[in-house]
Amino acid sequence: MVDETVIDAYAADGAVCLRGVLDAAWLDLLREGVAANMADPSEYSCEYTPDGAPGRFWDDYCNWQRIPQYRSVLFDSPLGEVAAALMQSTTARLFHEHVLVKEAGTTEVTPWHHDQPYYCVDGDQNISLWVALDPVSADTAPRFVAGSHRGPMYVPRKFVSHEPYPFDGYDPVPDIDAEADQHRFLQWAVEPGDVVAFHMRTLHAASGSATRRRAFSARFVGDDATYAVRPAETSPPFPEVAAVLSHGEPLEHPTFTVVWPA
């Protein structure tokens, strides 16, 4: 499933699409888990759609320890092995899972951003595996700026207001849409079980959605991951990790379990 051509494309572009990674049984587990999660959200869940607006944009994360379907997929499915291969790492350590749901008719867009500045992790061996649980057309699928993972780190942006976080020393996210002719974009129509893999520094965005779009993102780090202190609270905050690790130390903590090798 992950040959040298795919590994090279991931290293060069910062995003690739893999077809049919998860079969129907894994997808059924994830759908059950998402339904349970939406019925019983965590303290981290967010609603991004204003009252009275159409659709619903909702997300939640860090629930794998209480939702057994998530745990089973993260620890027993092919995702960990795929992550390690693409990262070119001997290990795949679970960073966290993230569920994003846009119901039919949702108009809220996901602004241009990349993920690593939000996170308490440094290192180049990292990956997000975005698993489609519903068919997604190319025009509503996540859109990536090819090669942007080799650029600088930009200020994180709030999904509700699109305002920047109070991060000193980071560049603002460029106006990607205004300078579209300067970039090469990657975007794929996907079916359930397909996986879009992208580096935590790859710039990406997404439109609203006319149809239901549920996605499960599994985020992993590799051998070179270290703990990072950011200018403001990270998302997820991981307070139990911040209490014991210092900036630059290996990201070795029970919160971040090695899932590959099993």
Side-chain angles (χ1 to χ4, degrees), residues 136-158:
V136 181
S137 62
D139 59 329
T140 58
R143 192 181 189 202
F144 301 90
V145 178
S148 56
H149 63 303
R150 298 192 299 273
M153 295 247 280
Y154 296 108
V155 176
R157 303 173 72 180
K158 298 177 181 178

Side-chain angles (χ1 to χ4, degrees), residues 80-103:
E81 184 177 6
V82 168
L86 288 171
M87 292 188 296
Q88 300 182 70
S89 173
T90 63
T91 60
R93 184 183 294 272
L94 177 62
F95 188 56
H96 74 287
E97 99 294 331
H98 189 180
V99 176
L100 302 105
V101 176
K102 288 186 177 180
E103 300 288 7

Side-chain angles (χ1 to χ4, degrees), residues 168-204:
D168 294 330
Y170 287 56
D171 294 333
V173 177
D175 189 342
I176 300 297
D177 294 321
E179 55 184 45
D181 60 342
Q182 302 176 34
H183 303 291
R184 180 167 60 90
F185 296 99
L186 303 170
Q187 195 169 26
W188 300 274
V190 293
E191 293 295 325
D194 292 345
V195 169
V196 176
F198 59 97
H199 195 281
M200 291 179 184
R201 287 200 305 275
T202 303
L203 287 166
H204 58 286

Side-chain angles (χ1 to χ4, degrees), residues 113-177:
H113 70 288
H114 56 186
D115 295 339
Q116 196 162 4
Y118 293 83
Y119 299 158
C120 61
V121 61
D122 282 334
D124 287 326
Q125 290 173 310
N126 63 65
I127 198 164
S128 291
L129 301 181
W130 189 92
V131 182
L133 303 184
D134 302 290
V136 181
S137 62
D139 59 329
T140 58
R143 192 181 189 202
F144 301 90
V145 178
S148 56
H149 63 303
R150 298 192 299 273
M153 295 247 280
Y154 296 108
V155 176
R157 303 173 72 180
K158 298 177 181 178
F159 278 22
V160 173
S161 64
H162 298 189
E163 294 177 354
Y165 278 48
F167 274 30
D168 294 330
Y170 287 56
D171 294 333
V173 177
D175 189 342
I176 300 297
D177 294 321

